[in-house]
Amino acid sequence: MTIQIVHLRGPDFAALAAGRLPTDPPVPLTPHFLTPDWSSTWRRRARQVAAHPADAAWVTGIIWDDDREIATGRAGFHASPDERGMVEIGYAVDPAYRRQGYARAALEILLARAKSEPTVRVVRVTVRPDNTASLNLIKQYPFVEVGEQWDDEDGLEIVLDMPAKA
């Protein structure tokens, strides 16, 4: 399985935020990318990239399976590294492609990028306590629980950090 995270451009985020598939995306997208549970991500990223175009190279991209030529989900950082050198990872896999290794592959790609970036010192993930699949995946890496937070969309989340160079 050959996986990559394909970055989107400002117009792609704008189209997805408006509930439309982009007219010229870098890879073909399925209607699942327009589902209500993903729409808030696209709206947030469209605003973010419009305000800070350089963030497009860091934020949510498409989990692309080169072998099967399919978009299986979305993954990326929430933003470029902050003043502390922290980046937060986010990912979601289309239910049709879950339990096939796509979340792990995306996580590995993002961890490798964090490790290779000189300004990144800490990698963070936040996971709902009831998201067993994601927690089981994260626990296979040297993430350490550092607290909890309340997210307006997801509710209670566990906050986990690890050194980027681990």
Side-chain angles (χ1 to χ4, degrees):
M1 176 165 54
T2 307
I3 304 302
Q4 63 176 304
I5 297 175
V6 177
H7 291 287
L8 296 171
R9 302 159 301 216
D12 302 323
F13 287 117
L16 290 164
R20 299 184 320 273
L21 290 174
T23 56
D24 186 29
V27 293
L29 303 178
T30 66
H32 185 78
F33 285 81
L34 300 177
T35 58
D37 55 328
W38 288 15
S39 61
S40 64
T41 298
W42 303 130
R43 287 191 303 272
R44 185 171 38 257
R45 298 298 174 239
R47 289 189 305 270
Q48 180 179 4
V49 170
H52 305 283
D55 274 0
W58 287 90
V59 299
T60 312
I62 305 304
I63 303 171
W64 179 255
D65 183 329
D66 283 327
D67 300 329
R68 296 172 65 190
E69 296 186 341
I70 53 172
T72 63
R74 58 184 168 83
F77 299 103
H78 288 243
S80 57
D82 69 12
E83 65 283 347
R84 298 168 294 156
M86 192 269 293
V87 290
E88 183 175 342
I89 288 176
Y91 56 86
V93 176
D94 178 333
Y97 301 108
R98 289 184 183 157
R99 304 199 51 80
Q100 296 178 39
Y102 291 110
R104 178 182 305 281
L107 179 60
E108 291 279 341
I109 291 167
L110 294 169
L111 290 173
R113 171 142 188 226
K115 185 175 186 173
S116 72
E117 293 282 347
T119 59
V120 178
R121 291 187 299 281
V122 176
V123 179
R124 171 168 288 173
V125 293
T126 58
V127 184
R128 286 190 342 259
D130 65 345
N131 187 342
T132 306
S134 195
L135 283 172
N136 287 339
L137 174 60
I138 294 303
K139 287 179 181 177
Q140 297 174 39
Y141 297 84
F143 284 97
V144 175
E145 187 173 334
V146 296
E148 295 179 340
Q149 70 180 20
W150 185 263
D151 182 86
D152 288 338
E153 286 183 31
D154 295 328
L156 181 66
E157 296 178 325
I158 300 168
V159 180
L160 304 109
D161 288 353
M162 70 178 265
K165 310 309 183 217

